[in-house]
């Protein structure tokens, strides 16, 4: 094979692997398996996790739960779903709290703690590493 063909082949393989990585986000938004919610749009996820909405689309109450700010899931979720850095998220919640519009989200310590909460309350929504998804929770959004 000529060097040009090798370069083209390498480029195409790289593009394919990047496309696969983008379509398989490492984090997903989840609810309890018993929840009536089956899917959410990007706008609905943004509204819930930024404190603009306290209800699922069907009108039932929602309680959004965050991961620790320094966790990979937190950084990935806010970057991919909300296009925000941790500093921007902190700033957003400072404004929301100061104006009295909303209080910061409750936080869990890890994926296992979120799964435990989800099993106790169908109002809970959170995000976690795709690899942590099990039969007790369902994915409602993938960034």
């Amino acid at each position: 094979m000529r060097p040009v063909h090798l370069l083209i082949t390498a480029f195409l393989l790289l593009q394919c692997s990047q496309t696969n990585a983008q379509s398989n986000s490492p984090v997903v938004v989840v609810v309890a398996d018993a929840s009536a919610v089956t899917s959410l749009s990007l706008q609905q996820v943004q509204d819930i996790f930024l404190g603009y909405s306290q209800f699922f689309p069907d009108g039932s109450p929602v309680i959004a739960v965050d991961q620790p700010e320094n966790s990979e899931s937190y950084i990935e979720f806010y970057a991919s779903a909300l296009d925000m850095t941790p500093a921007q998220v902190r700033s957003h919640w400072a404004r929301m709290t100061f104006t009295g519009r909303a209080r910061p989200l409750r936080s869990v310590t890890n994926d296992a703690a979120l799964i435990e909460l989800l099993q106790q309350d169908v109002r809970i929504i959170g995000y976690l590493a795709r690899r942590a998804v099990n039969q007790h929770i369902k994915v409602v959004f993938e960034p």
Side-chain angles (χ1 to χ4, degrees), residues 65-74 106-117 127:
V65 176
D66 249 341
Q67 294 276 358
E69 185 178 323
N70 61 350
S71 72
E72 287 181 35
S73 293
Y74 180 97
R106 176 179 177 183
S107 184
V108 293
T109 55
N110 56 35
D111 291 345
L114 175 60
I115 292 170
E116 187 176 318
L117 273 180
Y127 54 89

Side-chain angles (χ1 to χ4, degrees), residues 98-109:
F98 181 75
T99 60
R101 293 181 66 193
R103 293 189 340 214
L105 304 181
R106 176 179 177 183
S107 184
V108 293
T109 55

Side-chain angles (χ1 to χ4, degrees), residues 8 10 39 64 66 71 75 77 79 87 90-91 95 105 107-108 127 138:
I8 292 171
S39 69
D66 249 341
S71 72
I75 294 165
F77 171 73
R90 279 192 306 276
S91 176
R95 282 191 309 278
L105 304 181
S107 184
V108 293
Y127 54 89
K138 63 181 161 185

Side-chain angles (χ1 to χ4, degrees), residues 8-127:
I8 292 171
T9 302
F11 175 77
L12 291 174
L13 287 172
L14 180 63
Q15 289 296 85
C16 287
S17 68
Q18 287 176 345
T19 301
N20 262 349
Q22 290 168 353
S23 65
N24 293 322
S25 176
V27 295
V28 291
V29 177
V30 294
V31 296
D33 190 44
S35 173
V37 177
T38 56
S39 69
L40 294 172
S41 69
L42 174 60
Q43 186 64 56
Q44 291 165 330
V45 168
Q46 291 172 339
D47 288 348
I48 290 169
F49 281 93
L50 291 176
Y52 297 126
S53 178
Q54 289 77 41
F55 300 95
F56 283 118
D58 67 359
S60 61
V62 64
I63 301 170
V65 176
D66 249 341
Q67 294 276 358
E69 185 178 323
N70 61 350
S71 72
E72 287 181 35
S73 293
Y74 180 97
I75 294 165
E76 176 64 29
F77 171 73
Y78 282 101
S80 62
L82 284 78
D83 197 26
M84 296 173 79
T85 65
Q88 290 170 318
V89 175
R90 279 192 306 276
S91 176
H92 167 79
W93 282 108
R95 282 191 309 278
M96 293 292 278
T97 303
F98 181 75
T99 60
R101 293 181 66 193
R103 293 189 340 214
L105 304 181
R106 176 179 177 183
S107 184
V108 293
T109 55
N110 56 35
D111 291 345
L114 175 60
I115 292 170
E116 187 176 318
L117 273 180
L118 289 166
Q119 292 173 337
Q120 297 170 8
D121 192 339
V122 295
R123 298 173 300 167
I124 301 287
I125 186 171
Y127 54 89

